[in-house]
Amino acid sequence: MSDATAVPTHCPYCALQCGMSLRPTGAPEAPAEVVERTDFPVNRGALCGKGRTAPSLLSSRVRLTEPLVRSPDTGALVPASWEEALAAVADGLRRTRADHGPDAVGVFGGGGLTNEKAYGLGKFARVVLGTSQIDYNGRFCMSSAAAAHQRAFGLDRGLPFPLEDVPRTGCVILVGSNLAETMPPALRYLTELRENGGKLIVVDPRRTRTAEQADLHLAPRPGTDLALALGMLHLVVAEGRVDEEFVRERTGGWEAARAGAMSHWPEQVERITGVSVPLLREAVATFCDAPTGMVLTARGPEQQSKGTDTVGAWINLCLATGRAGRPLSGYGCLTGQGNGQGGREHGQKADQLPGYRKLDDPAARAHVAGVWGVDPESLPGPGRSAYELLDALGGDVRALLLMGSNPVVSAPRAAHVEGRLRSLDFLVVADVVLSETAALADVVLPVTQWAEETGTMTNLEGRVLLRRRALTPPAGVRSDLEVLHGLAGLLGREKGFPTDPEEVFEELRRASAGGPADYSGIDYRRVEEERGVFWPCPGPDHPGTPRLFLDRFATADGRARFVPVTHRAAAEETDAEYPVVLTTGRVVSQYQSGAQTRRVEELNAAAPGPFVELHPRLAERIGVAEGERITVVSRRGRAVAPARITASIRPDTVFMPFHWAGEGRANTLVNPALDPVSRMPEFKVCAVRLERA
């Protein structure tokens, strides 16, 4: 039940940013308790197990409460004062710049940082350090969808409509998303869709808990989603289902896209994907016979070396059928990380400035430099993408400042990335726990958590939200904004890095003004009173924009762009030596690299460790039984975990969750092959062989 004395805030995990309230308890094991908050429209009070147990991470028993500095004598991390720790960081960064130049210092951020912290980190990298070498783990989240959005619509926002529209559409095609485990409170939208008479089509190589809810489940071979979308568009054309008026009046480039689709005839697509022609026809009929429709993608089709083209193919399907730029229709991406959207909008991404401005645009540089009070010529140009930056560590990038990420577990080809981190001259990590990455650092800075600081987040709908501070942090902990302020001062920038988040947000508003992601009409009061404001919001009297593209798309002529695409194989195909496809994903009781959730007793009891999911026929072929340890080997390494045998996965495919370090680290195996546009690594498909451990 609700409690008027509790502080309204939001869950610290995924991009739903579910509303909750917190009431302090004073108990050391959980300093606050969650109180239901039914007034927030996204979750209407519902929470998953991660949200309910989030206060456990606030306990001093599981978190960092004092800075740590690596001892030159013993090599161990030992407690230090904040003054000593910040001085060591400033000295390490200053020395690296002096010896090797500003680009020898890298900055790596996180999709869980608030807008204020993401903005401050990007500004710090470019103004204080003068480095171009900054990116963030959100690159591994939805960068392919963002690139496809930009190409087709001229603007990237995860969902161009609020979640409340989903149950009211006629048909949803959900591609590569297991909402029942990744965003459980959002599953109600699909349940309500079907209760309202709408249809649900799920595309996933596994028959997940979400796929069980579907009217139609398509199970393509991993890495073939692009062919599947092209095959459906082929049938749309062949069966005369193109919305000719919409295509003529509101789009451009149709003929080239049409030609690309027509070269992917259904029988060929069946051979590539394993999805039968009758199922393809049924999916097209279900989608096109509905009065309205949506396609929602997630990491499945996006985390591929052709992710941008794959998402583009699904967008082409929406455009050809008139399912875009209209009420209750459209394409959307289900952002994963809590602030994956805002994190790239305001400066953590290698090629972007605040407001979603391009770093190589002279007008954008001039505007932001004016807000920052620096010469536009002093701003560095675009840098490396996330994996390319991590791969360069120990080479021309000699020092790294890392905030809110754990690439030792989360990065592709993780053992290699761990080696690159170990090869650095200097590594500093700011985090709330001693993650596997923090354990490698020369300096570890303990920072505040979600319940101990105020700041804004931008959820998957483009809704800017306010997290309110509910608790006083431990005495030895500082906020990331205080860290940036202290380091900026030690490195010669006494001004420009305030510690008050509202003051930072006011500057962010000015920096974003006039940009694609315009927050200038949003302030803390509005966000709190209106339970979130949708960007773009270019003025205080503007209502915000919950639904994009209804009148025109964000291109120069207002038309959406078809982008011609053709299917191509994954970067790594199976062969005699590596005959099985590996795909990866999440489980309901863990989150991302597990650095936080693996410290919660209740969540660990539900999901205690990694596993290898495989079909009974595959298990029989290699002679492995349920629960028996199995070794999965790729060209990059090996991982060992118990077998979980189920008929809910394709016989040619195995699945591993990626939340754990150690011998069960799934990301040791995956291929870092990059999408040429988004620079997204190919997490979702690589060739492996299985051995009994």
Side-chain angles (χ1 to χ4, degrees):
M1 58 186 294
S2 61
D3 185 341
T5 64
V7 178
T9 187
H10 294 271
C11 178
Y13 292 113
C14 80
L16 280 182
Q17 284 299 286
C18 290
M20 61 166 67
S21 292
L22 284 182
R23 181 169 50 215
T25 65
E29 68 279 1
E33 63 180 353
V34 172
V35 178
E36 184 180 274
R37 182 184 169 192
T38 58
D39 68 322
F40 186 62
V42 171
N43 63 309
R44 290 172 265 167
L47 293 169
C48 71
K50 296 186 291 291
R52 286 188 295 98
T53 60
S56 299
L57 270 298
L58 300 168
S59 171
S60 295
R61 298 175 180 176
V62 297
R63 67 181 301 178
L64 294 166
T65 57
E66 58 185 347
L68 303 173
V69 174
R70 196 163 298 280
S71 168
D73 299 322
T74 66
L77 287 170
V78 297
S81 70
W82 269 98
E83 291 70 24
E84 291 170 326
L86 289 178
V89 174
D91 182 62
L93 299 180
R94 186 186 299 112
R95 186 172 60 250
T96 302
R97 280 170 45 88
D99 292 347
H100 305 287
D103 275 357
V105 179
V107 177
F108 199 85
L113 300 182
T114 63
N115 288 318
E116 293 80 0
K117 293 191 285 189
Y119 173 85
L121 187 61
K123 181 181 178 181
F124 180 85
R126 295 177 173 110
V127 172
V128 178
L129 298 176
T131 182
S132 67
Q133 301 302 300
I134 174 172
D135 210 77
Y136 82 129
N137 63 14
R139 176 78 68 170
F140 302 154
C141 178
M142 59 171 289
S143 58
S144 293
H149 260 138
Q150 293 280 8
R151 292 200 308 192
F153 305 136
L155 180 68
D156 159 44
R157 198 179 82 186
L159 293 182
F161 42 75
L163 280 165
E164 67 185 46
D165 286 0
V166 172
R168 300 191 292 139
T169 193
C171 178
V172 169
I173 302 178
L174 184 67
V175 188
S177 171
N178 182 12
L179 280 180
E181 301 213 35
T182 59
M183 296 180 174
L187 191 64
R188 68 165 60 189
Y189 291 101
L190 302 181
T191 302
E192 291 170 5
L193 167 76
R194 300 188 70 209
E195 290 172 349
N196 292 340
K199 299 294 184 180
L200 174 63
I201 301 170
V202 170
V203 179
D204 199 305
R206 304 164 64 222
R207 190 162 181 81
T208 63
R209 288 174 52 203
T210 306
E212 292 283 354
Q213 308 297 313
D215 297 282
L216 184 63
H217 173 215
L218 308 181
R221 180 180 172 87
T224 65
D225 312 82
L226 176 53
L228 182 70
L230 286 163
M232 291 181 66
L233 183 54
H234 178 111
L235 288 171
V236 166
V237 176
E239 296 176 2
R241 295 178 178 273
V242 175
D243 188 330
E244 301 286 357
E245 180 182 0
F246 180 87
V247 169
R248 181 175 60 255
E249 298 295 328
R250 298 202 59 191
T251 73
W254 166 233
E255 290 306 318
R258 179 185 182 278
M262 295 315 289
S263 67
H264 295 75
W265 56 95
E267 292 76 13
Q268 177 198 34
V269 169
E270 179 180 299
R271 288 195 297 272
I272 294 170
T273 66
V275 177
S276 70
V277 173
L279 279 178
L280 278 175
R281 293 188 184 279
E282 184 180 355
V284 169
T286 302
F287 187 59
C288 293
D289 289 346
T292 54
M294 297 174 178
V295 173
L296 304 177
T297 68
R299 305 302 80 76
E302 297 163 19
Q303 287 182 325
Q304 298 184 29
S305 60
K306 53 182 181 291
T308 302
D309 284 355
T310 301
V311 173
W314 290 107
I315 291 175
N316 287 349
L317 179 67
C318 289
L319 293 175
T321 55
R323 263 63 170 171
R326 287 175 168 170
L328 304 181
S329 290
Y331 163 78
C333 166
L334 297 167
T335 309
Q337 293 188 84
N339 201 32
Q341 182 75 49
R344 69 180 180 281
E345 290 169 9
H346 298 301
Q348 286 190 100
K349 200 158 171 274
D351 57 348
Q352 288 178 186
L353 287 169
Y356 232 140
R357 288 182 160 91
K358 299 298 290 182
L359 189 53
D360 56 5
D361 176 0
R365 294 169 65 88
H367 173 83
V368 174
V371 174
W372 289 349
V374 299
D375 183 347
E377 294 299 317
S378 71
L379 298 178
R384 294 179 172 96
S385 70
Y387 179 76
E388 291 167 303
L389 173 56
L390 294 172
D391 190 41
L393 301 181
D396 58 354
V397 179
R398 311 294 292 269
L400 183 69
L401 169 62
L402 187 147
M403 283 188 166
S405 185
N406 187 19
V408 166
V409 178
S410 64
R413 198 184 172 197
H416 171 74
V417 168
E418 179 178 348
R420 302 323 304 154
L421 285 160
R422 291 181 181 276
S423 73
L424 284 165
D425 295 342
F426 187 69
L427 172 63
V428 55
V429 174
D431 209 332
V432 299
V433 296
L434 190 66
S435 69
E436 286 77 11
T437 304
L440 304 181
D442 296 284
V443 181
V444 181
L445 303 175
V447 291
T448 51
Q449 296 190 53
W450 56 289
E452 301 161 347
E453 59 188 15
T454 294
T456 59
M457 305 285 281
T458 305
N459 81 343
L460 77 172
E461 307 166 295
R463 188 194 304 252
V464 183
L465 308 166
L466 185 65
R467 285 182 180 172
R468 280 287 186 193
R469 173 171 166 162
L471 299 173
T472 300
V477 172
R478 296 186 183 180
S479 74
D480 295 275
L481 293 179
E482 289 174 313
V483 169
L484 294 175
H485 172 83
L487 290 176
L490 290 171
L491 293 170
R493 290 276 177 176
E494 298 291 340
K495 296 181 179 180
F497 292 88
T499 60
D500 175 25
E502 189 165 8
E503 186 177 347
V504 177
F505 190 80
E506 289 301 305
E507 183 178 302
L508 182 157
R509 292 174 63 193
R510 299 195 302 276
S512 74
D518 191 332
Y519 282 34
S520 59
I522 305 174
D523 60 30
Y524 276 24
R525 178 196 58 79
R526 280 194 67 181
V527 171
E528 190 165 33
E529 290 179 357
E530 300 175 27
R531 297 192 296 277
V533 179
F534 292 85
W535 71 262
C537 183
D541 297 325
H542 192 282
T545 314
R547 295 170 182 86
L548 296 169
F549 313 138
L550 295 183
D551 299 317
R552 67 190 311 273
F553 293 95
T555 56
D557 61 5
R559 291 172 171 263
R561 297 280 182 267
F562 282 97
V563 177
V565 295
T566 57
H567 175 71
R568 60 184 185 273
E572 183 176 81
E573 292 277 82
T574 56
D575 57 20
E577 188 176 2
Y578 299 97
V580 179
V581 178
L582 168 70
T583 192
T584 64
R586 286 170 48 191
V587 297
V588 67
S589 293
Q590 300 289 352
Y591 182 71
Q592 303 300 74
S593 76
Q596 296 181 54
T597 49
R598 285 187 275 116
R599 288 170 166 80
V600 178
E601 185 176 339
E602 180 179 329
L603 299 178
N604 272 337
F611 57 87
V612 181
E613 185 178 282
L614 69 163
H615 192 276
R617 293 210 300 268
L618 181 55
E620 182 179 10
R621 190 160 76 237
I622 65 173
V624 67
E626 175 73 21
E628 186 176 346
R629 281 162 54 85
I630 186 171
T631 301
V632 185
V633 185
S634 79
R635 290 179 173 86
R636 287 151 297 280
R638 58 181 56 222
V640 181
R644 182 174 294 183
I645 301 172
T646 173
S648 65
I649 191 169
R650 291 175 56 98
D652 58 3
T653 301
V654 294
F655 167 84
M656 289 188 71
F658 56 73
H659 309 291
W660 288 273
E663 67 174 6
R665 181 172 59 185
N667 281 335
T668 294
L669 305 168
V670 301
N671 192 351
L674 301 180
D675 181 288
V677 179
S678 68
R679 317 308 289 168
M680 167 73 84
E682 193 152 59
F683 286 96
K684 283 296 182 280
V685 50
C686 73
V688 299
R689 69 171 180 267
L690 307 181
E691 301 171 352
R692 296 178 66 185

